[in-house]
Amino acid sequence: MTESKPYRPNVGIALFNAAGEVLIGRRFRDDGPEIILPGLEWQMPQGGIDAVENPRDAVMRELWEETGVVSAGYLGETGWLTYEFPAYDGPPSHRLAKFRGQRQQWFALRFTGDDAEIDPLTPRNGQPAEFDQWRWERLDAVADLVVPFRREVYRTVAREFAKFAQQQAV
């Protein structure tokens, strides 16, 4: 039955600081098929693409909604990557229950603001906060901090964006 469901169009965000680290947030609640597991609550920002939205617009909207960040410049992007949700026996009315997983395009962005700009706890655009904490992390370490069903996508993103994980001259 899962195979007949579509993938949800989604963008992922690798926001790099000047030290070459990426922003990760700690999810503080389960959200239907997008479960979190103890010790594996961390992830990079990501979110759905609206019906008439292009991915480049979606990435900036999602970055702002989830983190408050607007000071970011484009570095690069991946092709489309997919992952499957784990089995879900919750209510069929859940907004993600109609999908088998996510089809994501990942974007590398360079953060050009100050850390004080990062505020994941303030709801924006009517969206509830997803993260209760944030930190900078090495890109190559993030796959070990996420739930297992996302790891292969995170490893691919780490390989494709490794060139952006370089410290920038200030």
Side-chain angles (χ1 to χ4, degrees):
M1 174 161 165
T2 301
E3 292 77 27
S4 65
K5 294 179 179 181
Y7 287 102
R8 176 181 181 234
N10 190 278
V11 290
I13 304 156
L15 181 68
F16 290 90
N17 66 12
E21 300 165 315
V22 292
L23 179 77
I24 60 173
R26 189 180 80 166
R27 291 186 68 156
F28 62 94
R29 57 188 163 82
D30 282 336
D31 187 17
E34 291 242 290
I35 61 166
I36 56 175
L37 300 170
L40 302 173
E41 300 93 349
W42 296 91
Q43 69 177 55
M44 289 184 274
Q46 66 175 53
I49 301 171
D50 293 339
V52 296
E53 191 174 35
N54 73 55
R56 283 204 185 182
D57 291 337
V59 76
M60 296 310 293
R61 177 186 52 75
E62 283 292 338
L63 179 63
W64 174 72
E65 284 179 359
E66 293 191 3
T67 69
V69 169
V70 294
S71 304
Y74 175 85
L75 295 171
E77 61 194 69
T78 67
W80 290 97
L81 306 169
T82 60
Y83 67 80
E84 309 277 326
F85 290 139
Y88 176 64
D89 61 0
S93 61
H94 187 281
R95 66 183 177 80
L96 296 177
K98 63 185 172 190
F99 299 106
R100 71 188 287 181
Q102 306 227 58
R103 180 176 182 255
Q104 298 182 306
Q105 186 170 21
W106 280 81
F107 289 81
L109 305 174
R110 180 72 63 196
F111 182 51
T112 57
D114 183 89
D115 282 4
E117 181 177 341
I118 303 168
D119 172 19
L121 288 172
T122 299
R124 296 172 190 85
N125 275 355
Q127 301 297 315
E130 291 188 33
F131 304 130
D132 66 351
Q133 294 180 29
W134 67 273
R135 72 178 199 233
W136 296 107
E137 182 59 70
R138 286 188 358 257
L139 177 63
D140 63 357
V142 178
D144 293 331
L145 303 173
V146 303
V147 290
F149 60 91
R150 287 194 180 126
R151 285 193 181 142
E152 193 52 42
V153 165
Y154 272 64
R155 288 183 181 118
T156 299
V157 169
R159 284 190 302 273
E160 291 197 26
F161 290 167
K163 63 188 170 207
F164 303 123
Q166 307 296 322
Q167 184 170 357
Q168 298 298 297
V170 181

